[in-house]
Amino acid sequence: MTLSWIKSMAKMISFLNLALFSNFLISFSLQAQTLISLDASGRSGENGSVEHDYSTRRGSASGRGRSGNSASPSTPGQSGGLIDVLMKDLSPDGSIEPQKVFISISGTVGPGLVDQKLEYMPSSQFILFDVHGGRGGNGGQGGDGEGGCNGRDGRDATRSFSGENGTDGCPGGDGGSGTPGSDGGAGGKIRIHMDQKDTHLLMLVKTDISGGPPGDPGKNGRPGEGGRGGQGGSSYSWTTTRVVGKRCDPDRMVNNGNGSRTVQKGACHDVTTTDRHTQSGGFD
């Protein structure tokens, strides 16, 4: 691509919108390298906060679980600024297809100033005017809620008392609210001033006036688990024995050894029964 060819092309398309023309240039010269980048792009927005997480496991708290904190909001991306410059071709008049061309760029780039003289290769370099909007901030992450306390186990039964019921577990804490991502900033504006004889320099211009992408949405925190209910006390069982009567053996005849016999009374014994007793346990 020679300078004379660039000038002839510029005359043919000088009526085109700058943004459309620069898009043509981007696709035409994919292998070109950036000579200089004039940057008035917007800053990215601030992300929402990432809140502290409590342990969501049951039994983490001594009572009701604490709720997670809600995240702070994100902020939008900053809009791109304004680039307003004058471009001039400083190449000597009458030069034919030079290997190098000299140009000057002066003006404002966002809040700053630019005044540069550049040397470039006509077929391999371009100038980037960047006023894209900043990316929106990501949404914040809500904190996880705390797991509730576990219930107390009931007292076991004894001979005197029934078993106690277990107490209820405590509720878990709520998860904190996340916040949405914010919008990206709008693209800025570019103004390029030049003499008609220098319009071929537009072939060197590449622009980025795109709006910034939105931030990713945040997430809500997880709720804490409810505490486990306490176990009921165990039941208790025991036995007792009581006498319900007597039982005697039959009388019997006993020889005395001298040929006589006497009656021997049968032995008597207590008759007993065993009673089983139970005290109920408590409920879980």
Side-chain angles (χ1 to χ4, degrees), residues 114-227:
V114 61
D115 186 5
Q116 294 196 35
K117 292 180 175 58
L118 306 173
E119 174 184 313
Y120 75 95
M121 303 297 294
S123 62
S124 62
Q125 294 176 317
F126 63 84
I127 302 170
L128 174 62
F129 290 72
D130 188 357
V131 291
H132 74 268
R135 187 182 191 279
N138 294 331
Q141 171 74 52
D144 291 344
E146 186 177 30
C149 70
N150 292 326
R152 180 179 56 83
D153 292 341
R155 186 178 60 184
D156 292 339
T158 65
R159 289 194 180 193
S160 302
F161 300 99
S162 298
E164 293 180 340
N165 296 333
T167 60
D168 293 335
C170 303
D174 296 328
S177 297
T179 52
S182 292
D183 294 335
K189 296 180 180 180
I190 299 172
R191 296 178 187 149
I192 300 177
H193 310 272
M194 60 179 57
D195 291 337
Q196 185 174 1
K197 66 180 180 63
D198 294 332
T199 54
H200 59 277
L201 296 178
L202 293 177
M203 295 291 292
L204 306 174
V205 173
K206 177 180 176 181
T207 64
D208 186 353
I209 57 174
S210 61
D216 296 330
K219 295 181 180 179
N220 296 329
R222 298 175 300 166
E225 296 179 345

Side-chain angles (χ1 to χ4, degrees), residues 192-263:
I192 300 177
H193 310 272
M194 60 179 57
D195 291 337
Q196 185 174 1
K197 66 180 180 63
D198 294 332
T199 54
H200 59 277
L201 296 178
L202 293 177
M203 295 291 292
L204 306 174
V205 173
K206 177 180 176 181
T207 64
D208 186 353
I209 57 174
S210 61
D216 296 330
K219 295 181 180 179
N220 296 329
R222 298 175 300 166
E225 296 179 345
R228 175 186 58 81
Q231 295 181 339
S234 300
S235 60
Y236 181 77
S237 299
W238 72 99
T239 59
T240 57
T241 302
R242 56 188 174 89
V243 177
V244 295
K246 285 188 178 292
R247 185 186 66 200
C248 296
D249 296 334
D251 296 342
R252 62 177 182 160
M253 299 297 294
V254 178
N255 293 321
N256 295 325
N258 56 2
S260 63
R261 302 177 68 191
T262 58
V263 177

